[in-house]
Amino acid sequence: MTMKDQAFRAHAFLQAAGITTITRSQIHELLAAAVGYGSHAAFQHEATWCNTRWGDAGIEPSAERLRGRCFELGFQTE
């Protein structure tokens, strides 16, 4: 599943769970942080494999980085 697919599914899941304040662009920011980038723009600039599945690219998302970015964006980490 590509990052775009992940963001779409995560946004739909959170919307269904009643979390309506988060935008898809914020989810892109969180996913980029989870794989080690400071922003989604940095991810897109450096990642020529943006449309490749994460597993195929050997990427392992980090829950710790994701929580840190949630904090920076003012979200509760739950």
Side-chain angles (χ1 to χ4, degrees):
M1 184 177 318
T2 67
M3 185 175 190
K4 185 176 179 178
D5 296 333
Q6 287 280 10
F8 182 80
R9 288 185 179 191
H11 190 248
F13 175 81
L14 292 171
Q15 293 282 313
I19 302 170
T20 59
T21 58
I22 194 166
T23 64
R24 194 163 306 136
S25 63
Q26 289 169 324
I27 291 173
H28 278 282
E29 289 291 321
L30 295 173
L31 292 174
V35 293
Y37 289 89
S39 68
H40 184 249
F43 172 83
Q44 285 186 311
H45 177 71
E46 290 189 21
T48 58
W49 39 262
C50 282
N51 291 320
T52 302
R53 295 172 190 242
W54 289 13
D56 293 344
I59 298 171
E60 185 64 36
S62 165
E64 182 73 23
R65 289 188 299 249
L66 178 66
R67 285 187 197 97
R69 190 67 172 133
C70 280
F71 178 76
E72 291 172 1
L73 292 174
F75 294 115
Q76 295 180 10
T77 56
E78 293 82 32

